[in-house]
Amino acid sequence: MILKRKKPSVDGHYRKLLSDIGVAIDHAKNNATVSINHELVKANWEIGKHIVEFEQKGNEKAEYGSELLSRLSRDLKHKFGRGFSRRNVLDMRRFYLTFPIWQALPAKLSWTHFIALLSINDPDARGFYIIRSIQENWSYRELERQINASLYERVALSRKKSNMLTARKTKSVQHYDDAVKDPYILDFLGYKGKISEKKLEQALIDNMQDFLLELGKGFSFVARQFKVSIRNKHYSVDLVFYNRILRCFVLLDLKTRMVKHTDIGQMNWYLNYFKAEENVDGDNDPIGIILTQGKDDIMVEYALGGLSNKIFVSRYLLHLPDKNELKIKLKEFVEVKQIEK
């Protein structure tokens, strides 16, 4: 009779061993990726530096003329393989011209991040996106999306965030005003025409990852249609989030029409309820965002006057804004601010 050996039981200690080994492997892979990225960025910066120094000596015009980059591309591809198209070589040159000081380059950003940043001519806007990319750990795709959505222009145009007009004054989310945008861009929903509040809410739930990215840093989803009951009367908050940086609940009320003063009163009521019934030790006062299709700024100003709760009325757009129009508005806004000074 042959006795079968029992397999060793997978107890908690062994599972911890596997987990610890997995963490070590992942850590090593991440470090390797960071190291490879750092060397790639540095190599491309040095290539750009060599090209610019060659041109500055007058050799480019005298020997190769406008064919320098094309010839370099052909020779580098022949010697080192792919990755040296004329477009890439031009980007390396632009990279050095844009960031001439190697020590000033943020180490956390990849080469693809820098490619996206090279499309921005305004140094303040570029600095703004660099800081946001690092603070919010944006991927290349998310950085590109925020650039295309004109985040810098939208933030700068908000008078409550006028101190963020320059990248040097950009800071992490530490105050209520810093956590709220106007408008929010919901192009990831795929809607172009009118949409009901019920469909808008469901679409945001279905695309929660993208919506959290649009909301910004520190947001986590708590609930939809959060029940608020008083004396057998039941109400509900459309969406509830928690911001771990501000340490507060964020209540979202969705409106697919122009906002009314009664909407602001209702949000004020919800915030008072959350302060009394939902906040725990360590929580700051909740804030409310009414996300609306349109608003009358004067009406909103009067309706918010005298309220102690933090309530914001922000518009949402179902498609990307016209970048040229935003730039014109931003230029006018900056000129007005300079006159006021």
Side-chain angles (χ1 to χ4, degrees):
M1 178 176 170
I2 301 175
L3 296 176
K4 294 183 177 179
R5 296 178 63 185
K6 293 183 178 180
K7 295 182 178 179
S9 61
V10 182
D11 57 18
H13 293 294
Y14 183 73
R15 285 196 295 271
K16 186 177 184 306
L17 172 64
L18 283 178
S19 175
D20 291 343
I21 292 174
V23 169
I25 293 173
D26 289 339
H27 185 67
K29 287 181 178 179
N30 289 336
N31 285 343
T33 300
V34 170
S35 178
I36 292 171
N37 169 69
H38 178 78
E39 293 302 322
L40 174 62
V41 171
K42 186 175 183 181
N44 290 343
W45 182 86
E46 289 181 344
I47 291 171
K49 182 174 183 287
H50 288 311
I51 294 172
V52 171
E53 289 179 345
F54 183 87
E55 293 172 334
Q56 288 175 344
K57 292 177 182 177
N59 295 327
E60 187 273 340
K61 182 177 181 181
E63 189 172 352
Y64 298 121
S66 60
E67 291 297 315
L68 174 63
L69 298 183
S70 297
R71 180 172 181 177
L72 267 176
S73 172
R74 290 194 302 268
D75 292 341
L76 290 172
K77 281 190 294 184
H78 178 73
K79 189 172 183 178
F80 298 104
R82 298 174 59 185
F84 295 99
S85 66
R86 191 181 189 283
R87 175 77 260 175
N88 287 346
V89 174
L90 177 61
D91 284 337
M92 295 168 192
R93 178 182 179 276
R94 291 171 59 217
F95 181 43
Y96 173 75
L97 289 173
T98 305
F99 303 98
I101 303 175
W102 167 251
Q103 291 77 6
L105 284 175
K108 290 186 177 181
L109 300 185
S110 69
W111 175 241
T112 50
H113 282 93
F114 285 115
I115 291 297
L117 291 166
L118 289 178
S119 66
I120 305 171
N121 294 322
D122 183 348
D124 286 336
R126 193 187 310 116
F128 170 86
Y129 286 113
I130 288 174
I131 293 173
R132 281 297 184 90
S133 295
I134 295 172
Q135 288 177 346
E136 302 188 22
N137 197 29
W138 284 344
S139 67
Y140 157 72
R141 292 187 181 278
E142 180 57 20
L143 169 61
E144 192 173 45
R145 179 184 178 276
Q146 296 292 1
I147 293 173
N148 290 334
S150 304
L151 178 64
Y152 170 74
E153 287 81 5
R154 288 189 283 137
V155 170
L157 277 169
S158 173
R159 291 181 180 270
K160 292 180 180 179
K161 305 183 186 71
S162 59
N163 63 323
M164 296 180 70
L165 279 172
T166 63
R168 295 181 183 86
K169 296 181 181 178
T170 303
K171 56 184 179 298
S172 59
V173 176
Q174 295 178 342
H175 305 284
Y176 292 125
D177 288 355
D178 301 325
V180 181
K181 300 175 185 175
D182 186 17
Y184 288 89
I185 306 299
L186 308 182
D187 61 307
F188 52 84
L189 300 182
Y191 285 95
K192 294 184 178 180
K194 292 184 178 180
I195 181 174
S196 67
E197 290 179 7
K198 185 176 180 180
K199 285 186 177 180
L200 177 60
E201 179 184 319
Q202 185 60 52
L204 292 175
I205 294 296
D206 293 341
N207 296 272
M208 183 55 67
Q209 183 176 356
D210 289 324
F211 188 39
L212 287 172
L213 289 172
E214 177 62 14
L215 286 174
K217 190 176 182 180
F219 282 89
S220 58
F221 178 61
V222 176
R224 68 184 296 190
Q225 293 300 312
F226 188 95
K227 299 300 180 185
V228 176
S229 300
I230 300 292
R231 294 182 178 177
N232 294 323
K233 290 186 177 182
H234 307 290
Y235 310 87
S236 59
V237 184
D238 289 336
L239 298 171
V240 177
F241 297 85
Y242 192 87
N243 190 290
R244 60 181 177 80
I245 301 174
L246 298 175
R247 292 187 302 166
C248 72
F249 286 104
V250 180
L251 281 53
L252 224 67
D253 191 18
L254 305 176
K255 300 298 178 186
T256 56
R257 52 163 171 76
M258 292 285 289
V259 70
K260 301 177 181 178
H261 65 87
T262 52
D263 300 324
I264 295 173
Q266 182 184 50
M267 177 59 76
N268 192 52
W269 187 88
Y270 287 152
L271 293 177
N272 286 329
Y273 173 88
F274 260 74
K275 281 196 292 187
E277 304 294 338
E278 298 299 331
N279 271 19
V280 298
D281 289 342
D283 285 343
N284 291 317
D285 288 349
I287 66 175
I289 303 175
I290 302 174
L291 200 56
T292 178
Q293 192 174 46
K295 61 176 179 176
D296 182 325
D297 290 329
I298 300 299
M299 186 280 294
V300 170
E301 181 180 350
Y302 287 154
L304 292 175
L307 295 181
S308 59
N309 288 320
K310 295 291 184 179
I311 300 176
F312 301 88
V313 180
S314 296
R315 294 175 300 117
Y316 69 85
L317 299 178
L318 295 176
H319 56 83
L320 295 176
D322 184 277
K323 298 192 73 171
N324 292 329
E325 183 180 347
L326 275 176
K327 288 178 180 178
I328 292 172
K329 288 183 179 180
L330 178 57
K331 182 180 178 181
E332 294 173 350
F333 175 66
V334 172
E335 290 174 349
V336 169
K337 297 300 290 185
Q338 290 174 342
I339 292 173
E340 290 176 354
K341 291 180 180 180

